[in-house]
Coordinates of all heavy atoms in Angstrom, one line a residue:
E86 N -9.8 -12.4 -15.2 CA -10.5 -11.7 -14.1 C -11.0 -10.3 -14.5 O -12.1 -9.9 -14.0 CB -9.5 -11.5 -12.9 CG -9.1 -12.8 -12.3 CD -7.9 -12.7 -11.4 OE1 -7.0 -11.8 -11.7 OE2 -7.8 -13.4 -10.4
F87 N -10.3 -9.6 -15.4 CA -10.8 -8.4 -15.9 C -12.0 -8.6 -16.8 O -13.0 -7.8 -16.7 CB -9.7 -7.7 -16.7 CG -10.0 -6.3 -17.2 CD1 -10.8 -5.4 -16.4 CD2 -9.5 -5.8 -18.4 CE1 -11.0 -4.1 -16.9 CE2 -9.7 -4.5 -18.8 CZ -10.5 -3.7 -18.1
V88 N -12.0 -9.6 -17.6 CA -13.1 -9.9 -18.5 C -14.4 -10.2 -17.6 O -15.5 -9.7 -17.9 CB -12.8 -11.0 -19.5 CG1 -14.1 -11.4 -20.3 CG2 -11.7 -10.6 -20.5
E89 N -14.2 -11.0 -16.6 CA -15.3 -11.3 -15.7 C -15.8 -10.0 -15.0 O -17.0 -9.9 -14.9 CB -14.8 -12.3 -14.6 CG -14.6 -13.7 -15.1 CD -13.8 -14.6 -14.2 OE1 -13.8 -14.2 -12.9 OE2 -13.3 -15.6 -14.6
H90 N -14.9 -9.1 -14.6 CA -15.3 -7.8 -14.1 C -16.1 -7.0 -15.1 O -17.2 -6.5 -14.7 CB -14.0 -7.1 -13.6 CG -14.3 -5.7 -13.2 ND1 -14.7 -5.4 -11.9 CD2 -14.0 -4.5 -13.8 CE1 -14.8 -4.1 -11.8 NE2 -14.4 -3.5 -12.9
I91 N -15.7 -7.0 -16.3 CA -16.4 -6.2 -17.4 C -17.8 -6.8 -17.5 O -18.7 -6.0 -17.6 CB -15.6 -6.3 -18.7 CG1 -14.3 -5.5 -18.6 CG2 -16.4 -5.8 -19.9 CD1 -13.3 -5.7 -19.7
R92 N -17.9 -8.1 -17.6 CA -19.2 -8.7 -17.8 C -20.1 -8.4 -16.6 O -21.3 -8.1 -16.7 CB -19.1 -10.2 -18.0 CG -18.5 -10.5 -19.4 CD -18.2 -12.0 -19.5 NE -17.7 -12.2 -20.9 CZ -16.8 -13.2 -21.1 NH1 -16.3 -14.0 -20.2 NH2 -16.4 -13.4 -22.4
A93 N -19.5 -8.5 -15.3 CA -20.3 -8.2 -14.1 C -20.8 -6.7 -14.1 O -21.8 -6.5 -13.5 CB -19.5 -8.5 -12.9
M94 N -20.0 -5.8 -14.8 CA -20.4 -4.4 -14.8 C -21.4 -4.2 -16.0 O -21.7 -3.0 -16.3 CB -19.2 -3.5 -15.0 CG -18.2 -3.7 -13.8 SD -18.8 -3.2 -12.3 CE -19.1 -1.4 -12.5
D95 N -21.8 -5.2 -16.7 CA -22.7 -5.2 -17.8 C -22.1 -4.3 -18.9 O -22.8 -3.5 -19.6 CB -24.1 -4.7 -17.4 CG -25.2 -4.9 -18.4 OD1 -25.0 -5.9 -19.2 OD2 -26.1 -4.1 -18.5
Y96 N -20.8 -4.4 -19.1 CA -20.0 -3.7 -20.1 C -20.1 -2.2 -20.1 O -19.8 -1.5 -21.1 CB -20.5 -4.2 -21.5 CG -20.5 -5.7 -21.7 CD1 -21.7 -6.4 -21.4 CD2 -19.4 -6.4 -22.1 CE1 -21.7 -7.8 -21.6 CE2 -19.4 -7.8 -22.2 CZ -20.6 -8.5 -21.9 OH -20.6 -9.8 -22.1
K97 N -20.4 -1.6 -18.9 CA -20.5 -0.2 -18.7 C -19.6 0.2 -17.6 O -19.9 0.0 -16.4 CB -21.9 0.2 -18.4 CG -22.9 -0.1 -19.5 CD -24.3 0.2 -19.1 CE -25.3 -0.3 -20.1 NZ -26.2 -1.3 -19.6
P98 N -18.4 0.9 -17.9 CA -17.5 1.3 -16.8 C -18.2 2.4 -16.0 O -18.9 3.3 -16.5 CB -16.3 1.8 -17.6 CG -16.7 2.1 -19.0 CD -17.9 1.2 -19.2
P99 N -18.0 2.3 -14.7 CA -18.6 3.3 -13.8 C -17.8 4.6 -13.9 O -16.7 4.6 -14.3 CB -18.5 2.7 -12.4 CG -17.2 1.9 -12.5 CD -17.3 1.3 -13.9
P100 N -18.5 5.7 -13.6 CA -17.7 7.0 -13.5 C -16.7 6.9 -12.3 O -17.0 6.2 -11.3 CB -18.8 8.0 -13.2 CG -20.0 7.3 -12.8 CD -19.9 5.9 -13.3
V101 N -15.5 7.4 -12.5 CA -14.5 7.4 -11.5 C -14.3 8.8 -10.9 O -14.0 9.7 -11.6 CB -13.2 6.9 -12.1 CG1 -12.1 6.8 -11.0 CG2 -13.4 5.5 -12.8
P102 N -14.6 8.9 -9.6 CA -14.5 10.2 -9.0 C -13.0 10.7 -9.0 O -12.1 9.9 -9.0 CB -14.9 10.0 -7.5 CG -15.3 8.6 -7.4 CD -15.0 7.9 -8.7
E103 N -12.9 12.0 -9.1 CA -11.5 12.6 -9.1 C -10.7 12.2 -8.0 O -9.5 11.9 -8.1 CB -11.7 14.2 -9.1 CG -10.3 14.9 -9.3 CD -10.5 16.4 -9.3 OE1 -11.6 16.9 -9.5 OE2 -9.4 17.0 -9.2
S104 N -11.2 12.0 -6.8 CA -10.5 11.6 -5.6 C -9.8 10.2 -5.9 O -8.7 9.9 -5.4 CB -11.3 11.6 -4.4 OG -12.4 10.7 -4.5
R105 N -10.6 9.3 -6.5 CA -10.0 8.0 -6.8 C -9.0 8.1 -7.9 O -7.9 7.4 -7.8 CB -11.2 7.1 -7.3 CG -10.7 5.7 -7.7 CD -10.1 4.9 -6.5 NE -9.7 3.6 -6.9 CZ -8.6 3.0 -6.5 NH1 -7.8 3.5 -5.6 NH2 -8.3 1.8 -7.0
L106 N -9.1 9.0 -8.9 CA -8.1 9.1 -9.9 C -6.8 9.6 -9.3 O -5.7 9.2 -9.6 CB -8.6 10.1 -11.0 CG -9.7 9.6 -11.8 CD1 -10.2 10.8 -12.7 CD2 -9.4 8.4 -12.6
I107 N -6.9 10.6 -8.3 CA -5.7 11.1 -7.6 C -5.1 10.0 -6.8 O -3.8 9.8 -6.8 CB -6.1 12.3 -6.8 CG1 -6.5 13.5 -7.7 CG2 -4.9 12.7 -5.8 CD1 -7.1 14.7 -7.0
D108 N -5.9 9.2 -6.1 CA -5.3 8.1 -5.3 C -4.6 7.1 -6.2 O -3.5 6.6 -5.9 CB -6.5 7.4 -4.6 CG -6.0 6.2 -3.8 OD1 -5.1 6.4 -2.9 OD2 -6.5 5.1 -4.0
I109 N -5.1 6.7 -7.4 CA -4.5 5.8 -8.3 C -3.2 6.4 -8.8 O -2.1 5.8 -8.9 CB -5.4 5.5 -9.5 CG1 -6.6 4.7 -9.0 CG2 -4.6 4.7 -10.6 CD1 -7.7 4.5 -10.1
A110 N -3.2 7.7 -9.2 CA -2.0 8.4 -9.7 C -0.9 8.4 -8.6 O 0.3 8.1 -8.9 CB -2.3 9.8 -10.1

């Protein structure tokens, strides 16, 4: 599922906003 996600993103991870990083943490 992660590999499919990577391919769907065209191998380019999006920028992650600081608010999302804090939420994940």
Side-chain angles (χ1 to χ4, degrees):
E86 294 164 328
F87 185 36
V88 172
E89 290 169 14
H90 173 79
I91 291 170
R92 290 174 178 148
M94 300 299 293
D95 196 28
Y96 307 94
K97 297 176 189 116
V101 182
E103 183 177 349
S104 60
R105 178 64 179 140
L106 294 174
I107 291 169
D108 181 57
I109 294 168

